[in-house]
Amino acid sequence: MGWPRRTLAAVGILICAGGLTAALGRFSYAPMPSEADLVNPGRNAPEGAYDVLGRAAASPEPGAVRIDAALIRRGREAFYRETFGNEVFLTDVMGMLDGALSLYEVSRALTLLAGRGTANLEVRVARPVTVGDRTYRVGELIPTGLDVEKGSLFPLGIRTFYDRGHVRMGITCALCHSAVDPASGRVVEGAPNRDLNVGLMMALAANTTAYYMHGSTPSLDPFRTDPGRTVATRSGMRERLPDPEALEADAKVQAASWPPGSFDSSPDLVTNPTSIPSSFTAHGHPYGWSGHAGIGPFRGLSALNNNVHALNSDTTAQADAAPFLFGLDPEVYLGTLLQRAPSPSFRFDPQGDRTPSQVMRAADPTPDAPGLNSYAVLPSAPNANSVTTNGLVATSPGEPVGYANDAMSAFQNALRAPRRPAAADTLARGRQVFERAGCAGCHDGPAYTNNRVVPAPEIGTEPSRARAFARTEATLRPPDLYAAGTPFPVPPGTATLPVPLAGEALAQMQLAWAHAGTPGGYKVPNLIGLGESAPYLHDGGVAVGPGPTHEPGIGPLIDPAVQADPAESLRALVDRDLRGRVLAANRANPRAVTARVTGEGHAYWADAEAGVSPPEQAALVQYLLSLDAPQDAREDAARR
């Protein structure tokens, strides 16, 4: 389907939503729900008046970010609407609208909702696409897991751009971290989108190869079969490129293995998606599955927000780091990504007279920075420095460096999970079991976490995710950032501020990044909003299906219309017999095996063998499901 029809469909939706017309030349739109219509409208109080590189302060200091209502408002807006320019990569390079899913069919599905809202938008296949031994045929319905608020014509977390006849779609944080409640059609702000089928949607794109480094493709050599398909390297040599069709077929299988509600955010040449976390982040540091986002503004939360757009929503930004991350010359890396790009402006032709870098530069909307998104570039780029994984800071034009990341951090820390009422005596009994079983040994403090990283062998979880950043050690730089308020673009000669990292904090960061001979580790997660975040553990492998059968394992959840039962999945977390059934089911599921989703680890039990009776175990589960805010906020509410 060509651009004219796509443009017509997108413009039609935009006209319905905002009365805009193509005559305006350029416009864009992303939905942001009314705060009055949220399932969880309450807010936590800010931790302090200022954040100084992760330390709360009562007065401004060098590098301080003021936490006030204006910052939180900007954070909420950025959470729903800020793409940092990733619509170019997703549309022109990856081709999210040029594969099985087209803009016309997405628009048609949205229109057919007629304002009803959904937690799982089903979209017809526009073009046949084969993924492994499965062919998705024209007219077949794809369960995307995209959420649409009641009364809206737009998916949460998608920003649609119209630019003089060209339509693009970009993603915002809300795509993964807000969800529609099926019962009410209202939005649960900060909840993980548990049925988001992003792996399959990427597998159905025209150029899944643009994300191949997030899959288990440790070497391109098996795909370099055509001696005539070469590219000039930066050293003046020529190297073979992989066969585009063969690599594409492999990349599709890897991406399609991700269970709904998960995302592979580590370009480590291993398929190992992690369960999408909630954004109920107050007091929950460090951040990321391994705690790799542990220093800098908002105790590492701004680093996590930045990582989404500086590392994950634009893989072209990794070209200069390709030699030490992937063992590839930058031109080989870019040529691999661009040789199937659906947009002619970005497509690299090995028989042409331009290098992949030259192709990129000619079409790049941000030619003064690496990649396609909008970045401020630190002196350490392209190396990691413990605050940024590649020396880039996603920044919106017209704002100071990193302002939107910090604003989103302030907003996320203000979020509270929906309340799950339970009888007071049940909660009191559950708390007693929580303490008797030793849960509070790790899950203590305001957010029910000791804010520590635990070595992977100690926690027993599948280890590959804990080593995702091991390759950065040889080129790691001391952590630094531009000071808050630094204008963007950054004036030449602007100095950076060192970010403190020493002693125990350094040891924890080394463990989180699998540096200094450590095996890597996993953070002790906070327990706020567990009712919104099943399945459990870092890989999302502790899953039990809904309904009377309560089928164990992730198998039932392959269908995004089926979500894990929070109570039964929590029971599987603490009951060794039920966990054994979950592990066996996961081992028997080929998709789970490919994605390294096991449900192993965290062998801490509250079951009959541990002296916990079934009624006590049920009370513990209800207590865990009731945790909706930091302990200090819950205590304040109880006193009121």
Side-chain angles (χ1 to χ4, degrees):
M1 190 172 301
W3 280 114
R5 192 174 178 187
R6 290 181 178 175
T7 300
L8 180 62
V11 171
I13 292 178
L14 289 169
I15 289 172
C16 293
L20 297 171
T21 68
L24 293 176
R26 295 179 179 176
F27 54 82
S28 66
Y29 182 79
M32 185 168 74
S34 166
E35 292 192 62
D37 292 333
L38 297 173
V39 173
N40 56 328
R43 292 284 186 264
N44 296 318
E47 293 183 37
Y50 294 88
D51 180 275
V52 185
L53 297 176
R55 175 174 54 83
S59 58
E61 301 176 24
V65 177
R66 183 179 179 181
I67 304 172
D68 56 16
L71 184 71
I72 292 174
R73 280 196 304 272
R74 171 55 181 145
R76 185 171 192 266
E77 179 188 40
F79 186 82
Y80 283 101
R81 293 177 171 165
E82 185 61 70
T83 67
F84 298 102
N86 63 52
E87 60 275 2
V88 178
F89 171 78
L90 294 171
T91 306
D92 294 61
V93 176
M94 179 169 277
M96 293 295 290
L97 301 173
D98 287 273
L101 305 181
S102 71
L103 184 58
Y104 175 82
E105 291 296 350
V106 173
S107 303
R108 177 183 179 276
L110 291 167
T111 303
L112 289 175
L113 283 177
R116 292 189 302 274
T118 182
N120 177 25
L121 183 69
E122 293 189 310
V123 181
R124 291 192 314 183
V125 169
R127 309 170 189 86
V129 171
T130 297
V131 179
D133 58 2
R134 169 87 154 84
T135 296
Y136 294 85
R137 304 192 182 281
V138 173
E140 181 178 348
L141 286 176
I142 299 298
T144 67
L146 292 172
D147 284 20
V148 184
E149 184 186 12
K150 184 178 180 180
S152 176
L153 276 173
F154 293 85
L156 280 173
I158 299 288
R159 186 169 178 178
T160 304
F161 294 80
Y162 175 84
D163 184 0
R164 294 166 297 184
H166 197 79
V167 177
R168 296 185 174 100
M169 285 190 174
I171 62 170
T172 74
C173 292
L175 178 72
C176 293
H177 303 286
S178 277
V180 166
D181 170 38
S184 66
R186 296 185 296 162
V187 173
V188 185
E189 199 162 66
N193 190 343
R194 297 193 291 151
D195 57 359
L196 182 64
N197 212 358
V198 65
L200 179 59
M201 287 191 286
M202 294 175 75
L204 297 177
N207 185 25
T208 312
T209 294
Y211 224 70
Y212 90 90
M213 70 297 301
H214 290 256
S216 295
T217 309
S219 173
L220 295 181
D221 289 346
F223 303 95
R224 289 168 157 162
T225 56
D226 184 351
R229 194 171 191 86
T230 64
V231 63
T233 68
R234 291 190 181 175
S235 63
M237 307 293 287
R238 295 201 72 86
E239 287 190 28
R240 289 189 189 182
L241 287 173
D243 176 87
E245 302 305 323
L247 182 57
E248 179 70 10
D250 183 72
K252 288 183 181 302
V253 170
Q254 300 297 319
S257 72
W258 305 356
S262 67
F263 188 85
D264 192 317
S265 64
S266 54
D268 57 351
L269 303 174
V270 179
T271 301
N272 49 14
T274 56
S275 187
I276 294 172
S278 76
S279 288
F280 309 127
T281 53
H283 307 285
H285 57 283
Y287 300 98
W289 67 95
S290 70
H292 62 90
I295 61 172
F298 294 87
R299 298 181 177 179
L301 184 53
S302 293
L304 183 70
N305 289 333
N306 182 66
N307 189 72
V308 172
H309 297 284
L311 187 73
N312 293 324
S313 71
D314 173 17
T315 61
T316 66
Q318 314 312 317
D320 290 336
F324 55 84
L325 288 181
F326 316 121
L328 297 175
D329 176 86
E331 299 296 341
V332 174
Y333 176 77
L334 280 177
T336 298
L337 268 57
L338 300 179
Q339 57 184 345
R340 282 182 55 91
S343 171
S345 298
F346 284 94
R347 191 180 309 129
F348 171 65
D349 179 4
Q351 307 306 317
D353 58 0
R354 294 188 301 171
T355 66
S357 290
Q358 290 170 338
V359 172
M360 270 272 296
R361 195 172 300 116
D364 188 352
T366 60
D368 295 329
L372 301 171
N373 287 2
S374 179
Y375 302 121
V377 184
L378 291 169
S380 58
N383 303 316
N385 74 8
S386 299
V387 183
T388 72
T389 49
N390 54 13
L392 305 178
V393 181
T395 302
S396 180
E399 290 186 336
V401 172
Y403 182 77
N405 291 322
D406 292 339
M408 284 190 284
S409 295
F411 163 68
Q412 291 165 265
N413 280 341
L415 291 174
R416 299 183 67 165
R419 298 202 66 185
R420 286 180 171 252
D425 58 342
T426 298
L427 297 184
R429 191 178 189 187
R431 175 70 193 188
Q432 292 172 355
V433 177
F434 183 83
E435 293 173 347
R436 194 176 88 216
C439 305
C442 290
H443 295 286
D444 196 13
Y448 305 88
T449 173
N450 62 5
N451 311 110
R452 302 285 296 174
V453 178
V454 180
E458 180 179 330
I459 199 67
T461 308
E462 199 281 333
S464 69
R465 297 165 185 83
R467 296 191 53 78
F469 292 113
R471 292 171 184 256
T472 65
E473 183 170 16
T475 58
L476 189 71
R477 297 292 183 266
D480 66 346
L481 284 173
Y482 290 113
T486 299
F488 177 72
V490 180
T494 300
T496 59
L497 288 177
V499 178
L501 182 61
E504 180 62 17
L506 173 60
Q508 282 278 284
M509 285 298 291
Q510 289 172 330
L511 178 59
W513 287 59
H515 289 177
T518 71
Y522 293 106
K523 62 166 275 187
V524 175
N526 72 48
L527 302 183
I528 304 299
L530 289 175
E532 313 302 319
S533 57
Y536 303 112
L537 289 191
H538 303 86
D539 65 354
V542 180
V544 179
T549 59
H550 291 307
E551 187 175 347
I554 72 162
L557 312 185
I558 300 292
D559 177 0
V562 179
Q563 293 194 358
D565 182 285
E568 287 299 308
S569 297
L570 272 178
R571 194 164 73 86
L573 190 66
V574 299
D575 189 295
R576 68 196 84 195
D577 290 339
L578 183 51
R579 180 80 75 85
R581 292 169 54 202
V582 167
L583 296 181
N586 288 342
R587 284 193 292 267
N589 188 296
R591 188 164 167 178
V593 171
T594 299
R596 290 175 170 77
V597 175
T598 68
E600 297 172 338
H602 192 273
Y604 306 108
W605 311 112
D607 55 12
E609 191 172 336
V612 176
S613 69
E616 288 177 321
Q617 187 184 78
L620 171 64
V621 167
Q622 290 305 308
Y623 171 73
L624 293 171
L625 291 175
S626 77
L627 304 180
D628 62 342
Q631 289 198 56
D632 50 5
R634 289 166 60 86
E635 292 164 0
D636 290 344
R639 284 193 291 269
R640 289 196 297 270

